[in-house]
Amino acid sequence: MSTWEATGVGSHPGEDHLEAIKVVFGEVPGLPYLPELPARGVGADMIGRTAGMLVELPVEVQPSGWRLTDRPGRDHQRAVDHLRRDLDGLEEIGHDYAGPLKLQVCGPWTLAGAIELKHGDKMLADAGAVRDLTASLAQGVADHCAEVRRRLPGVTEIVLQLDEPGLPGVLAGTVPTASGFGRLAAVEEWRVEESLRSFDSPIVHCCAPSVPFALLRRAGVRGVSVDVSLLRRRDEDSLGECVEAGLTFLLGVVPGRDTRLPDVGVVAKPALELWRRLGFAPDRLAEQVVLTPSCGLAGASPRYARAALAACRKAAQVLKDDPESGLQGG
């Protein structure tokens, strides 16, 4: 795991996909990823991009957002076209790359809380619809991964990231109904666990408070991606159990929007301090911790996006080279 060191969460600013891919491969070569550019509009956003991968569940945009429809239309095609262009760019720039590659898709629960049924409420309101959505997404993601492998034969493994910012709300019963006047019932943890097992050892990204660490560990995920500033002391017992179980942590340590970046020692400090509080050996830090921005970089300037990734990579080197002094120095 230590070869990963640093990576990004997923989204990038602007509309130039080739430039974004070049930045990724240049700044986080240990675990590059296929960036998303939501500024391009319909079908490039997190929901639309992933909905375009669904098998036999076409979608369209209504004034209220994405909705299931009877047949693929213009909105669905836009999402497919954006992704195809991105894959063309990935193949052009990464054609001789050898190593792991990260792919991000919206997870089934955040997706179910965002897409509406043809006539009525959100998919999340219907357990059968969520099962269908999960199966469709799992097949679509498997197809997506297979195409990336065909295009980039040097990829040694695909690291799948499920973006689930909506998961804490799904579990707490705070997701609004389609009308906005009510709240959808809380989903039982076993349903979430079962759905996550439909995917091949994913990393789950959740840039929201109250990440359900124990549930994710039970579901057998490979790792968890979080904003370190949102972690609370009450999370630390569950975090420790995840470390013991060998999960990888992608820790968001620099803001996702433009700011003055501190030196690398300060960037690395939240990860070092968390590790010290958890009480694990320093040598496990670089093996199980990967540094990232706190969330996506879509709201940043292109210059900052590049600098943020570079800061994560350099700070990760501190964790790798000298974790002992950081842990002792506090």
Side-chain angles (χ1 to χ4, degrees), residues 152-174:
L152 269 66
V155 167
T156 55
E157 65 171 326
I158 287 179
V159 179
L160 175 65
Q161 175 181 306
L162 298 178
D163 290 326
E164 284 283 15
L167 184 54
V170 166
L171 293 166
T174 60

Side-chain angles (χ1 to χ4, degrees), residues 1-6 203 217 221-226 238-251 271 274-275 278 280-292 316 319-320:
M1 296 294 182
S2 59
T3 55
W4 290 5
E5 295 183 356
I203 284 170
R217 175 177 53 78
V221 305
R222 177 181 195 169
V224 186
S225 169
V226 294
S238 296
L239 277 167
E241 290 169 358
C242 289
V243 174
E244 288 282 14
L247 271 68
T248 298
F249 285 90
L250 280 65
L251 297 182
L274 174 65
W275 209 252
L278 294 176
F280 289 100
D283 58 355
R284 289 182 70 167
L285 179 58
E287 292 177 7
Q288 285 182 255
V289 169
V290 179
L291 298 187
T292 73
L319 303 189
K320 187 176 182 181

